[in-house]
Amino acid sequence: MTEKLQTRTGIPPAPRKRSRHVALFLAGAAVMTLAACEDDKTDAAAFPDLDSCVSEARKGSLFFTEQDCQTQFAQAQQDYLETAPRYESQELCEQEHGAGNCGGDPAQAQSGGGMGSIFMPLFMGYMLGSMMGGGRGISSQPMVKTAQGGFSTPSGNQSFASNRGVGKVPTSAFAKAPSTIGKPPMSRAQVSSRGGFGAASTARGGMRGAGG
Amino acid sequence: MQKVPLPERPGWRERATELGFTFADMGGEPYWDETSAYRFSLRQIEDDIEDPSTELHGMVREAVATALASDEWLERMQIPQQFWDFLADSWKDGEPELYGRMDLSYDGHGPAKLLEYNADTPTSLYESASFQWDWLEEQQRLGVLTADTDQFNALHEALVARWAEIAAPDTDIHFAADPDNPEDYATVEALAWAAREAGLGAHFTSLAAIGLTEEGQFADDQDRVIGTLFKLYPWEDMLRDEFAAHLGPSGVRFIEPPWKAVVSNKALLPLLWQMFPGHPNLLPAFFAADVAEALTGGAPATRVANAFAAAQDVLQQGHVSKPIFSREGAGVVIREQGRETDRAPDDSYDDHPRIIQALAPLPEFGGFHAVIGAWIVGESCVGMGIREDASRITHNLSRFKPHYIED
């Protein structure tokens, strides 16, 4: 080794064909890490139903109590009724939320109908957030299904792979979505303001990555 | 070029997990496989891969100018007519390319042959630029490889430099991909690391969450207007999506630029052969519609009669047929001596016109067929990644193999 080094003395180092350094780390599928200007994060926990929230609260390891589960479940159901997206046809609703994930508008059913048919994604659970920093205690959001098989808040601004689990989410995910109750349901043209990329496929087959 | 069995680095799987390389194993099979590596001489790298690939990219640029100036080629490439100007303007405005990967058939001897050029949405970037680099550094540290060994892998540095060249400091770049596909996501993440290092802002948005504002601009999943968009999503799909009509009016700068739609299109291969017939790094290639009958005893289309006659013997011996749009080997069919000898199981692109290309069989090493991925950043070849598969047709689960240079 020493000998080798000596013979090289005075000779400029051979040009090297690789980078001097590289960025080694990825964050895996932690989507948020790329958003440099993302907002504050807060602790959140999602549950498909009231019971699973309660049994988690009894363990006492998270940020909410059994009482929070109850209160927020009622709140989430109320928010669901007020803010979940409303569509003018079942077909359009299922296109956005997946087959079998839609139903009629419960508010319309209560009021005796009269507005024509309105369809909504089903209530699929709720998400609790710790809003301690702002002095607001515990906040919640109802969850509905997405067409991709995941779950989202009613506004669709945050989506999740599951309706069960804990994690950090942006505080904005707990902002109440605009009210949809009593408003005319969305037509196909209104829906298309998002999701206009990714549907066309020159491959006629099933799921595949877009890259190659 | 040799395949050399080497000890795996102890704990590399844990290292992969720690780094976020979550798809080192896929479908129960290794994807990253370092039980052996490919050894090259510097001459092989420089003379047979690096320089020819850079030259090929230059030829591709000439072909782009030809295709964009020809209604006939744009039609044959199935570029929807309403976008011809959109593509041509991006070329005339000199919108710069970022990266691409040429797939080459090369066995260590003689000229490498261009199989195809994924110049729009190539993946396996993280594995090539980063994990492969780390493999070499660590194998040298462990004494498995000597300090004299090298690797053809200036990808990361070249990407940082290219970003700095093509975007003003502090430009915000949106990276759109499918967040549920780990390979696609890792590729945009690797690009975003380089963009950040170049002093740019990098933001991720799910492709499906991109919205259209009332002013006709595109907005990300948090309603921020998009100025510059890197999309790991093929142009051929982009041009057929519901938002397609808004692409131009949105004012977004796209990376890759729209003109890349004619580069990642496999119809580029017959065009290259028409422009540079007999080039040592090209394979004879034709539209299937022009020569399918001729291959079974009929006559070729008049426009290619001479070129076909010159290549007929080679094509009869063996050729590959593939749809002009396809990814990851889908739709590839191999015929030798008039008989079908191989067919990709995935036929999801079969609705599209096909091209015929002379067969350049991938070299076999220990039961695996290796394909070279030559990385282009900007206009130069700057690195290499190797995939291998037991099948003769490389596909999306084919293994990634590290390489090193030792004379």
Side-chain angles (χ1 to χ4, degrees), chain B residues 47 72 74 76 86 106 108 114 132 155 157 181 183 216 224 235 242 248 258 295 325 330 335 340 378 383 406:
Chain B
D47 297 353
E72 191 194 341
L74 289 172
R76 298 201 95 185
F86 179 58
Y106 176 69
L114 176 67
Q132 171 175 240
L155 256 172
E157 281 184 359
N181 183 300
E183 283 186 274
R224 297 177 299 218
W235 268 115
E242 202 171 328
L295 285 168
F325 304 125
R335 286 194 186 83
E340 178 178 314
E406 187 177 53

Side-chain angles (χ1 to χ4, degrees), chain B residues 151-288:
Chain B
Q151 187 173 77
F152 183 31
N153 186 6
L155 256 172
H156 180 75
E157 281 184 359
L159 283 167
V160 174
R162 184 62 174 173
W163 276 121
E165 233 169 69
I166 68 175
D170 296 322
T171 303
D172 282 312
I173 318 271
H174 275 87
F175 289 85
D178 172 7
D180 296 327
N181 183 300
E183 283 186 274
D184 287 9
Y185 189 76
T187 295
V188 294
E189 228 180 351
L191 286 168
W193 276 104
R196 286 253 171 92
E197 218 172 296
L200 311 176
H203 313 285
F204 183 79
T205 182
S206 159
L207 180 87
I210 291 177
L212 189 66
T213 70
E214 281 167 15
E215 291 77 39
Q217 297 171 302
F218 290 124
D220 69 9
D221 53 3
Q222 293 173 49
D223 296 331
R224 297 177 299 218
V225 170
I226 296 174
T228 303
L229 179 67
F230 175 90
K231 70 228 161 45
L232 197 84
Y233 183 66
W235 268 115
E236 65 261 21
D237 289 340
M238 207 83 177
L239 298 178
R240 288 165 173 83
D241 262 326
E242 202 171 328
F243 279 175
H246 302 282
L247 289 168
S250 70
V252 167
R253 174 184 172 190
F254 294 98
I255 298 171
E256 299 295 323
W259 59 261
K260 278 279 187 101
V262 302
V263 182
S264 58
N265 191 309
K266 289 176 188 49
L268 177 81
L269 298 163
L271 176 57
L272 283 170
W273 187 250
Q274 179 184 300
M275 293 176 69
F276 307 97
H279 189 281
N281 299 112
L282 292 177
L283 292 163
F286 299 90
F287 273 99

